[in-house]
Amino acid sequence: MNTIKYLFEHVNIPKSKLYPKYKFIDFIKQKNKHTHSISFIFCSDNYLQKINAEFLNHEELTDVITFNYTKKKDLSGDIFISIERVKDNAKNYKVNFKEELARVMIHGVLHLIGYNDKTEKEKKLMRALENEFLKFL
């Protein structure tokens, strides 16, 4: 199917702040995977916090939650992203919004590929792969 969708839940993002979908598809191909169906759902803190509480039993705010439906090499999933968290992250890390949004988006994709970020070693690897994607842009 090779589909990436951008969906919006009670938030607006100018199209100029979103990288073209083919950039994600090309990066995924480099990792020897295939894009089947990936939805990026851009939302508010409140919307994502409710999902976090309902499905993961966490009450805290987060910037991204990934629901992985991948089968073998065909990546499929829903990636929920809080635009408010991305704005705060960009400010805290002193980067522009577009760069931070791309980092959070690829972070979700890396989870679909099979990477985790539970340990310090895993976090370092994911950060390196995020940086690799940002250079790819």
Side-chain angles (χ1 to χ4, degrees):
M1 193 171 357
N2 213 19
T3 303
I4 292 181
K5 295 179 189 171
Y6 291 160
L7 306 169
F8 305 88
E9 287 293 334
H10 310 294
V11 297
N12 292 312
I13 303 172
K15 196 172 186 175
S16 64
K17 300 290 183 189
L18 296 169
Y19 282 99
K21 297 170 187 174
Y22 77 86
K23 293 283 191 179
F24 294 93
I25 292 169
D26 289 349
F27 185 79
I28 289 165
K29 282 181 188 172
Q30 283 186 354
K31 301 300 175 197
N32 295 315
K33 300 289 183 176
H34 178 263
T35 305
H36 180 69
S37 177
I38 299 172
S39 295
F40 290 100
I41 301 97
F42 304 102
C43 58
S44 66
D45 273 347
N46 203 25
Y47 189 89
L48 193 54
Q49 194 278 325
K50 287 177 184 172
I51 290 170
N52 206 7
E54 182 178 344
F55 293 98
L56 303 175
N57 296 317
H58 298 147
E59 294 300 323
E60 64 274 358
L61 294 174
T62 188
D63 52 3
V64 60
I65 295 175
T66 303
F67 291 96
N68 194 343
Y69 316 124
T70 297
K71 292 185 176 142
K72 297 186 182 177
K73 288 190 172 193
D74 292 331
L75 299 190
S76 183
D78 294 325
I79 301 170
F80 290 82
I81 297 172
S82 167
I83 295 307
E84 291 162 283
R85 288 302 95 226
V86 171
K87 286 178 183 175
D88 283 351
N89 289 351
K91 190 175 176 181
N92 292 336
Y93 297 124
K94 296 176 178 45
V95 297
N96 67 52
F97 174 82
K98 188 173 183 176
E99 179 181 331
E100 183 60 19
L101 181 59
R103 180 182 300 281
V104 173
M105 290 171 74
I106 202 61
H107 184 91
V109 170
L110 289 169
H111 279 303
L112 296 180
I113 291 172
Y115 293 97
N116 291 307
D117 56 0
K118 299 293 182 203
T119 69
E120 279 307 311
K121 186 177 178 181
E122 290 173 336
K123 286 177 187 176
K124 274 186 172 181
L125 176 59
M126 280 191 78
R127 181 59 71 164
L129 290 166
E130 291 166 10
N131 289 335
E132 178 187 329
F133 176 73
L134 293 174
K135 287 178 189 165
F136 178 75
L137 295 174

